Amino acid sequence: MAAANYLPYEDQFLCSICLDVFTDPVSTPCGHNFCKTCINTHWNNNDHYLCPMCKETFTTRPQLRVNTFITEMVVQFRQSAQQKASISSSEQQVSEPGEVPCDVCTGTKLKALKSCLVCLVSYCETHLEPHLTASRLKRHQLINAVENLEGRMCTKHDKPLELFCKTDQTCVCMLCTVLDHKMHDVVPLKEGYEEKKAELETEIQQMIQKRRRKIQEIEHSVNLSKKDADREISEGVQVFTALKESVERGQANFIKTIKEKQKTTQKQAEGFIKELEQEISELKKRSTEVEQLSRSEDHLHLLQSVQSLNTHHPTPTKDWTEVSVCPSSYEGTVVRAVAQLEETFSEEMKKLLEAELKRVQQYAVDVTLDPNTANPKLILSHGGKQVRHGNMKKNLPDYPERFSDCSCVLGKQSFSSGRFYFEVQVKGKTEWDLGVARESIDRKGKILLSPVYGNWTIWLRNGNEYEALDNPSVRLSLKSPPQKVGVFVDYEEGLVSFYDVDAVALIYSFTGCSFTEKLFPYFGPCFNDRGKNSAPLIISPVIAK
């Protein structure tokens, strides 16, 4: 069989078996022409000698004769076709990398325009012509040129994939529908294409809408964040302005106090100096008169004049020995001024903490204890709001999530985003642990409390020793023992804060945390200690301050 280098409208030069230009054309006794190889192969594969064209049956294998006329015509046809194909090839586009080349072209491969799903061959403009003109080839299905045409054949039955199985969502051939996909919902490829296209378009539109809603959600979050930031800046500026004014007032009062003290000292000193200068002036006058009297040798006159001198210019009698000006005492002035500022700062800090606590209380969640995680020695209340140590170990299923050794329990509720807040009454206890833990925290054996091991907690030991179990741990100095502790978590911010709810004070904050798992509230009532620590930890309803 030869390559398909043929001209349009020359249907008579095509073998009806291979649909290609005749190679060694021969004629059967019934007068039909075929490629010699094609007709012999056809008869070799069948039990009967049947003409593929007219279906005439021969009892014995017919003698095939070379058709010299068609042979000569085919030779001329090929020569003419090659010339025209050569001319046409120079006008057509050569296949570039990434483009589908013509499978028929020899030498320089031209760009294929169409691919035939029956022949499984891609054709350039010249070699495509028979599929556009030959009646037998017109029935073939042409598509825009594609690569890997073998992938369009059923690998199991070697038939074209012409149907789509909606049940299994896969392309199938005709044989598949009666064998592997029998009773399945099968439709033509075009129908399956249209439905799948509509389905994909709907799905894509839904995905687009979903992402647009997500954009709106993100933009809304950004706007809320900006409002929060603006509010925080505004409130912060007010606070710092007030503090700055307090500092400036304190500084002005401090300077005024010092200057007034110094002015009083200065005024006292000036009064003493003025009085002394007056006495010095009087003494100088007396000295002058005494000097004049002393020049006279009349002793009687001198003695008689002394009495008159004492009368007109008496000698100053004030005793200046004990008189002195002590420098003003400024000790403690700065300390008192700073103490006043500290008191002002404390008042402002309390206002800020009140506002902050009120804000975080808006994220209050309803937390209950998870009995499946509780250590067997713990006793939980019926409503799951209280937990205490019971000394006796209960016979409970050893669930993977249950703490085997550590006297603790987790909340049922988990959080993997956003903010949440809850409050726990610790009144009457001498020891307790409180905080949050990640889902993968070790439940078996001894538990180490530290962010390194997936928990962010504070504790009380020995009745008055408070500690934040950070890395490293931090001893806490509290003004008064908290009766109710608030726990606030901002997942995205990586923040865990603890508050003394009644005193409206910040106990401690874990900052810069990196959360990648679900977080659970963590409660440790600790050992009973012979009744000294028998009070329960109580999850309390949040009442905004």
Side-chain angles (χ1 to χ4, degrees):
M1 292 178 286
N5 292 327
Y6 37 77
L7 293 175
Y9 69 80
E10 297 292 348
D11 196 10
Q12 62 269 36
F13 295 124
L14 299 181
C15 171
S16 60
I17 297 177
C18 66
L19 302 179
D20 210 339
V21 178
F22 285 118
T23 301
D24 297 331
V26 293
S27 299
T28 61
C30 57
H32 294 110
N33 302 304
F34 306 95
C35 294
K36 182 178 182 181
T37 301
C38 291
I39 188 62
N40 282 327
T41 301
H42 178 72
W43 283 341
N44 290 338
N45 293 333
N46 289 277
D47 296 333
H48 304 289
Y49 302 119
L50 182 74
C51 175
M53 291 292 290
C54 66
K55 309 303 180 183
E56 181 179 349
T57 303
F58 306 102
T59 56
T60 60
R61 187 165 184 147
Q63 183 74 27
L64 297 175
R65 297 186 179 277
V66 175
N67 191 319
T68 55
F69 173 74
I70 293 180
T71 300
E72 293 175 359
M73 294 298 294
V74 166
V75 171
Q76 295 179 13
F77 170 74
R78 287 186 186 278
Q79 291 175 350
S80 177
Q82 288 176 355
Q83 292 176 358
K84 291 190 176 183
S86 176
I87 296 172
S88 177
S89 296
S90 62
E91 297 174 352
Q92 294 183 55
Q93 182 179 353
V94 176
S95 174
E96 299 291 339
E99 295 178 338
V100 180
C102 175
D103 293 326
V104 181
C105 288
T106 57
T108 301
K109 295 284 188 178
L110 298 181
K111 178 182 176 181
L113 298 181
K114 296 288 182 180
S115 296
C116 177
L117 296 181
V118 177
C119 304
L120 296 181
V121 175
S122 296
Y123 300 103
C124 65
E125 182 179 356
T126 299
H127 297 126
L128 179 64
E129 289 297 335
H131 278 75
L132 303 178
T133 58
S135 58
R136 298 185 187 90
L137 298 179
K138 283 182 180 180
R139 294 192 293 270
H140 290 190
Q141 185 178 353
L142 296 175
I143 60 172
N144 290 332
V146 294
E147 293 182 322
N148 189 27
L149 285 169
E150 291 78 7
R152 296 176 175 272
M153 297 292 289
C154 177
T155 56
K156 190 171 184 179
H157 304 115
D158 199 28
K159 297 290 183 182
L161 298 172
E162 301 175 295
L163 303 168
F164 180 71
C165 177
K166 296 171 67 176
T167 305
D168 293 338
Q169 293 290 298
T170 185
C171 296
V172 297
C173 70
M174 291 296 295
L175 284 177
C176 289
T177 61
V178 296
L179 297 173
D180 303 331
H181 297 263
K182 190 176 182 180
M183 305 301 292
H184 287 191
D185 186 6
V186 178
V187 297
L189 276 181
K190 185 175 182 182
E191 183 179 337
Y193 160 80
E194 295 294 342
E195 290 183 7
K196 181 60 68 173
K197 178 183 176 184
E199 179 184 325
L200 289 174
E201 287 176 349
T202 301
E203 182 181 347
I204 291 171
Q205 289 303 316
Q206 289 175 348
M207 293 174 69
I208 290 173
Q209 291 302 318
K210 188 175 180 180
R211 280 151 180 77
R212 283 177 176 167
R213 286 194 296 270
K214 180 57 69 173
I215 289 174
Q216 292 175 350
E217 179 184 325
I218 293 172
E219 289 176 342
H220 180 64
S221 298
V222 170
N223 290 334
L224 289 179
S225 176
K226 186 177 184 303
K227 288 180 180 178
D228 290 344
D230 292 342
R231 185 197 67 244
E232 199 71 18
I233 290 173
S234 177
E235 292 177 358
V237 168
Q238 291 178 7
V239 170
F240 279 103
T241 300
L243 292 177
K244 180 181 177 183
E245 290 174 353
S246 296
V247 171
E248 290 174 348
R249 283 196 303 271
Q251 180 183 10
N253 290 335
F254 164 72
I255 294 172
K256 181 180 178 182
T257 300
I258 296 295
K259 286 187 175 181
E260 285 179 349
K261 285 188 175 183
Q262 194 275 335
K263 187 176 181 181
T264 300
T265 302
Q266 179 78 22
K267 189 174 181 180
Q268 184 187 38
E270 288 175 351
F272 288 155
I273 291 171
K274 185 177 181 180
E275 188 175 349
L276 286 168
E277 286 178 344
Q278 287 177 350
E279 290 188 1
I280 289 172
S281 178
E282 291 295 327
L283 288 171
K284 282 183 177 180
K285 289 179 181 178
R286 185 178 178 86
S287 175
T288 300
E289 292 183 0
V290 169
E291 185 180 354
Q292 289 176 353
L293 291 173
S294 65
R295 290 175 185 167
S296 173
E297 295 182 356
D298 186 349
H299 300 153
L300 178 62
H301 178 70
L302 173 64
L303 294 173
Q304 289 176 339
S305 298
V306 169
Q307 185 175 2
S308 176
L309 181 65
N310 288 335
T311 302
H312 294 90
H313 301 286
T315 303
T317 58
K318 184 173 181 178
D319 185 4
W320 289 92
T321 305
E322 300 298 330
V323 176
S324 64
V325 175
C326 295
S328 297
S329 175
Y330 304 116
E331 286 77 5
T333 307
V334 176
V335 173
R336 287 190 294 274
V338 173
Q340 183 64 41
L341 283 177
E342 186 178 6
E343 184 178 344
T344 303
F345 285 0
S346 296
E347 292 175 357
E348 291 295 332
M349 179 62 75
K350 188 171 183 180
K351 292 178 184 178
L352 287 175
L353 283 170
E354 286 176 350
E356 180 177 330
L357 185 58
K358 190 174 291 187
R359 279 201 297 272
V360 300
Q361 285 178 331
Q362 295 176 358
Y363 300 99
V365 293
D366 184 18
V367 175
T368 53
L369 303 172
D370 185 357
N372 291 337
T373 66
N375 179 277
K377 290 185 179 181
L378 297 184
I379 299 175
L380 276 59
S381 66
H382 180 68
K385 294 293 185 179
Q386 300 185 24
V387 58
R388 61 185 176 87
H389 195 274
N391 288 327
M392 297 296 294
K393 184 176 181 180
K394 299 190 292 291
N395 186 18
L396 298 174
D398 187 19
Y399 296 130
E401 61 268 31
R402 188 182 302 284
F403 291 95
S404 61
D405 293 354
C406 184
S407 298
C408 56
V409 59
L410 299 181
K412 281 185 179 179
Q413 294 72 22
S414 65
F415 305 90
S416 56
S417 64
R419 302 163 184 163
F420 64 95
Y421 173 85
F422 60 95
E423 293 179 352
V424 181
Q425 181 178 305
V426 296
K427 183 179 180 181
K429 296 193 65 62
T430 58
E431 293 189 353
W432 49 260
D433 308 332
L434 196 60
V436 294
R438 69 189 180 199
E439 186 175 25
S440 63
I441 185 175
D442 189 9
R443 314 294 178 95
K444 309 301 179 184
K446 208 161 189 178
I447 304 297
L448 295 176
L449 297 181
S450 167
V452 176
Y453 300 100
N455 50 75
W456 294 262
T457 56
I458 62 173
W459 74 14
L460 167 65
R461 293 292 183 269
N462 301 320
N464 59 2
E465 297 175 6
Y466 295 91
E467 196 168 341
L469 287 307
D470 208 333
N471 186 32
S473 297
V474 179
R475 291 294 297 271
L476 303 175
S477 178
L478 306 182
K479 292 183 178 180
S480 60
Q483 304 298 300
K484 187 184 292 184
V485 176
V487 183
F488 172 70
V489 177
D490 188 328
Y491 195 98
E492 283 75 21
E493 189 68 21
L495 172 71
V496 182
S497 293
F498 298 84
Y499 297 89
D500 182 336
V501 178
D502 297 324
V504 192
L506 177 66
I507 298 175
Y508 188 77
S509 286
F510 292 85
T511 58
C513 309
S514 179
F515 302 132
T516 57
E517 302 178 24
K518 293 178 181 178
L519 294 180
F520 291 82
Y522 177 94
F523 307 87
C526 297
F527 296 114
N528 186 287
D529 194 16
R530 298 179 181 179
K532 295 179 183 178
N533 192 38
S534 61
L537 288 176
I538 303 175
I539 301 172
S540 306
V542 176
I543 302 174
K545 288 290 182 180

